[in-house]
Amino acid sequence: MFGLKACLSGGLLLLGAAVTEAKYIVPGARWRDTDGNLVNAHAGSVVLDNGKFWWFGEYKVQGQEEGGGVSVYSSPDLATWTYHGLALEPVNGHPYIAPEMIIQRPKVVYSESTGQYHMWWHADNSSYGLLLQGFATADTIEGPYSFVDATAPLGNWSQDFGMFTDYKDGRTYALYSNGDRREGRDVYLTSYNKEVTGLDEVVYRFDKFDLEAPTILQTDKSYYALMSHKTGYRPNNVVAFRADRLSGPWSQPWIVAPLNTRTFNSQSGFTLRIKGNRKTTYLYLGDQWDSNSLWESRYIWLPITIDDAKKTLEVEWHDVYDLDVKSGKWQPIQGREYLAIDAKTSGNAFKQEANFASRGTIVTGIEGNDSTVTFSGIQGTGKPQWVSFYYQNTDDMGFGDQPGGSPDRIGGSWQLRRIASVVVNGNAENVETLYQRDTHKGIILSTPLQLTLEKGSRNTITVGGLFNGFHYKGADIDRIVVYPPEN
Ligand code: GLA
């Protein structure tokens, strides 16, 4: 149904009229706020309030999983983000929001009845033993929010937490997985009371699918619920269910992205409906977790294609796209491709037959700074440009020659990423780090970097390998795609 190649080359087609002004959205890049800091709002949710988008997420402290609180950013266009600090700050000694507690998957909704903003999240201790829903309120959307309570929803357990407001009747629902124990492993959809201060009744239970990271989106005809499997911070195949009514019957689940891409290396968590004056666009807001360094985890935001007649939904990959939130229209940006088969290798790096790669060839054996691949004749503009590196990392949950680790085997450890070095025009003083997460054997994914090339067509880009804690190997390289600058 998908065909990765078709899907990726589809990314080069231009859709519709030119979109103005908006900055590009680049899934998986290091996203920076207007102060230049990395956006730190993981497992986030976005709400539109008075014409502005507000992104709430888990603020991850370097070296820690818990304790960071909830950060909040605002944006006029979903591409430029301004930091407003912590909306919910950890409080020392507090039973639920102390720095050693889990504050995950925050969601915010405006309550007409109380005239306040209500924040709900997964509240827990660091061993995930409490399984509660936290509740805090604020008079303004950016907070600060004051803690109200942490409760068990209708006496049940609650782990990964989602929230959904029906645009037809304004009713808000909680969506939560009830933990990993055998008595749990369901996902509940439960309505809130009118005030959104507590839960009312269970509307549906996704029974024993053992899924998490749930989110619901709504079209004029359907509801779609997206959820991931449970592999911690490792990505897997996100699935979707469809229904005419929230109370069901819900369909069988299906996989939303090309097989074996593990949802383009991401976990679900939120979906955003952008109702423009020309078009309604749906975005998948996923997390590309980096379990070596959670705070640096990236965001994979992608357009969703829905066919209500066929009852299908797919998440589409695009390296770089331009979204106009006013019209609701978006278009992929077209880049220029340079294939590894035409590039030059050094040292032990070499070109190898790979029937799934561009023109049947991939460069492998990249390691350190003496076994590299160099692309040349690259056209540049002298301004910062996005460059996508298409790679294959076959570590697959382990690395063969490490003690206790081996690809796809019992007891294998998840390597998660190789790190490549990227050097422009041989300038070894300026080495960029390119994280290359596991793909799968035969699966080529891309990851972007913003580079400044010289004006003209004489640029070179050299890819080598950097130390990832185990070795200096870079992933195999298929091609690079160079995108035009934003302005
Ligand atoms: C999954 C959940 C996250 C977090 C991690 C912890 O990824 O979806 O919210 O709890 O597990 O391992």
Side-chain angles (χ1 to χ4, degrees), residues 117-121 133-137 146-150 196-198:
Y117 293 87
H118 292 189
M119 178 187 286
W120 289 83
W121 69 93
Q133 293 177 358
F135 174 39
T137 59
S146 310
F147 180 85
V148 177
D149 213 352
V196 202
T197 53

Side-chain angles (χ1 to χ4, degrees), residues 65 104-105 128 160 212-213 232-233 267 289:
E65 175 174 2
Q104 289 184 348
R105 300 194 173 277
Y128 293 79
D160 277 10
E212 64 181 5
Y233 289 117
Q267 183 180 29
W289 294 111

Side-chain angles (χ1 to χ4, degrees), residues 162-184:
M163 189 187 252
F164 164 73
T165 301
D166 192 310
Y167 67 69
K168 288 188 179 156
D169 62 11
R171 192 91 197 249
T172 297
Y173 299 82
L175 189 65
Y176 45 98
S177 57
N178 61 346
D180 302 337
R181 282 179 239 176
R182 190 175 295 183
E183 305 88 328

Side-chain angles (χ1 to χ4, degrees), residues 43 58 60 65 102 104-105 122 128 159-161 212-213 228-234 267-268 289:
E58 298 167 15
K60 298 285 193 195
E65 175 174 2
I102 290 280
Q104 289 184 348
R105 300 194 173 277
H122 166 207
Y128 293 79
Q159 196 158 323
D160 277 10
F161 178 78
E212 64 181 5
S228 80
H229 294 82
K230 288 182 177 168
T231 47
Y233 289 117
R234 293 154 24 198
Q267 183 180 29
S268 49
W289 294 111

Side-chain angles (χ1 to χ4, degrees), residues 19-293:
V19 177
T20 49
E21 274 180 5
K23 273 189 68 187
Y24 296 162
I25 296 181
V26 187
R30 290 184 175 96
W31 291 6
R32 297 192 181 276
D33 64 19
T34 48
D35 295 329
N37 298 316
L38 286 183
V39 173
N40 192 334
H42 306 282
S45 57
V46 173
V47 249
L48 182 61
D49 186 76
N50 288 318
K52 253 195 197 170
F53 295 96
W54 296 84
W55 176 359
F56 296 87
E58 298 167 15
Y59 184 86
K60 298 285 193 195
V61 178
Q62 194 164 352
Q64 266 173 247
E65 175 174 2
E66 58 286 300
V70 176
S71 52
V72 56
Y73 295 79
S74 70
S75 174
D77 57 10
L78 293 173
T80 323
W81 293 98
T82 303
Y83 185 48
H84 296 273
L86 290 179
L88 183 71
E89 227 176 308
V91 176
N92 280 322
H94 192 282
Y96 300 109
I97 56 168
E100 63 275 13
M101 302 299 280
I102 290 280
I103 302 172
Q104 289 184 348
R105 300 194 173 277
K107 307 286 178 294
V108 167
V109 67
Y110 178 70
S111 166
E112 297 277 351
S113 323
T114 67
Q116 284 190 310
Y117 293 87
H118 292 189
M119 178 187 286
W120 289 83
W121 69 93
H122 166 207
D124 224 318
N125 59 16
S126 59
S127 59
Y128 293 79
L130 301 179
L131 300 172
L132 302 174
Q133 293 177 358
F135 174 39
T137 59
D139 294 330
T140 58
I141 187 155
E142 69 265 43
Y145 286 74
S146 310
F147 180 85
V148 177
D149 213 352
T151 52
L154 306 177
N156 208 327
W157 297 313
S158 180
Q159 196 158 323
D160 277 10
F161 178 78
M163 189 187 252
F164 164 73
T165 301
D166 192 310
Y167 67 69
K168 288 188 179 156
D169 62 11
R171 192 91 197 249
T172 297
Y173 299 82
L175 189 65
Y176 45 98
S177 57
N178 61 346
D180 302 337
R181 282 179 239 176
R182 190 175 295 183
E183 305 88 328
R185 303 184 187 176
D186 311 307
V187 171
Y188 276 77
L189 175 59
T190 305
S191 56
Y192 279 97
N193 58 22
K194 200 167 150 277
E195 296 77 26
V196 202
T197 53
L199 290 173
D200 244 4
E201 66 171 320
V202 174
V203 172
Y204 190 80
R205 190 175 69 190
F206 294 88
D207 212 16
K208 301 297 172 213
F209 282 106
D210 207 11
L211 298 168
E212 64 181 5
T215 174
I216 287 188
L217 73 81
Q218 180 182 16
T219 64
D220 286 343
K221 295 203 179 75
S222 300
Y223 298 90
Y224 293 88
L226 278 72
M227 304 172 200
S228 80
H229 294 82
K230 288 182 177 168
T231 47
Y233 289 117
R234 293 154 24 198
N236 57 54
N237 290 317
V238 167
V239 296
F241 302 77
R242 197 207 69 86
D244 293 332
R245 276 171 296 281
L246 287 171
S247 56
W250 285 83
S251 74
Q252 282 278 326
W254 70 92
I255 292 169
V256 302
L259 286 175
N260 294 322
T261 66
R262 300 188 177 105
T263 326
F264 306 113
N265 222 320
S266 74
Q267 183 180 29
S268 49
F270 200 70
T271 39
L272 182 63
R273 175 172 174 268
I274 301 146
K275 194 170 164 24
N277 53 28
R278 304 278 296 281
K279 187 180 169 175
T280 301
T281 286
Y282 295 88
L283 290 187
Y284 164 86
L285 274 53
D287 291 283
Q288 185 170 66
W289 294 111
D290 184 339
S291 60
N292 297 318
S293 181

